[in-house]
Amino acid sequence: MTSGYSDGDNRDDALGWAGDDDPTLASGDEAGETGETASAAGPGSGEPPEGWTVTGPASAVEAKAAADAAATRVATSSLALVSLGIFGGIYLLYTIGWFIGAGRIQIPTSDVVSEFMFMLGLWLAVAAPAVWFAVTFWLTRAHPRARFGWLLIGVILLVPLSFISGPGVIA
């Protein structure tokens, strides 16, 4: 029975890449054997070879802190995701409520500046729930308990009173 390698090919050739024998790809130990230096500053100096740049943390302490931070990142639990979805839905309904409520309000002034300021305040009120949710989500990435606390505070503070109380309350 023949192996199919009658041309004298080596079976290990299938496991190699073209250019594996390139001397510029030698590791530090192999470079020392060939007479080349592993780095221009000398081995163990902590300096990268000439022409190289360090990416990531520059010191071992920073590298360990970055690795620890990456290891402590925990995936968001199912309960947290469902809660965020519920809060997102509440804030979406609040935005819609403020939009409908702002459309019902009659502008009480005839001065151009006062009218502009009143309209600006109405549209900022419409945008407030969406902005509150986005900013809370962004600023409390590392503190999930604080995130839910601030989202709950926003649910209480941003109730669309103009929608709930009906038109004609502001006169």
Side-chain angles (χ1 to χ4, degrees):
M1 186 153 134
T2 62
S3 65
Y5 293 102
S6 62
D7 296 343
D9 292 337
N10 189 357
R11 293 184 128 206
D12 293 334
D13 286 347
L15 302 176
W17 293 90
D20 278 347
D21 56 350
D22 187 3
T24 59
L25 299 176
S27 66
D29 294 336
E30 294 173 10
E33 293 172 2
T34 61
E36 300 173 11
T37 58
S39 94
S45 68
E47 295 291 324
E50 184 179 333
W52 289 33
T53 58
V54 177
T55 59
S59 70
V61 174
E62 291 175 1
K64 181 162 177 23
D68 291 344
T72 58
R73 288 187 194 129
V74 180
T76 308
S77 70
S78 296
L79 179 63
L81 288 174
V82 169
S83 300
L84 285 173
I86 290 171
F87 276 121
I90 290 170
Y91 280 100
L92 178 64
L93 290 175
Y94 277 13
T95 302
I96 293 169
W98 275 108
F99 183 77
I100 292 170
R104 291 181 182 172
I105 296 176
Q106 299 295 323
I107 301 172
T109 61
S110 61
D111 183 17
V112 175
V113 175
S114 299
E115 183 178 334
F116 172 75
M117 294 304 291
F118 188 79
M119 292 302 292
L120 178 66
L122 281 179
W123 293 115
L124 287 176
V126 170
V131 170
W132 184 286
F133 183 81
V135 168
T136 300
F137 194 79
W138 180 56
L139 291 177
T140 59
R141 286 178 292 194
H143 308 289
R145 289 186 185 190
R147 174 181 292 162
F148 290 109
W150 282 108
L151 287 174
L152 186 61
I153 290 170
V155 165
I156 295 167
L157 290 177
L158 297 171
V159 174
L161 295 175
S162 62
F163 178 73
I164 294 171
S165 62
V169 173
I170 300 177

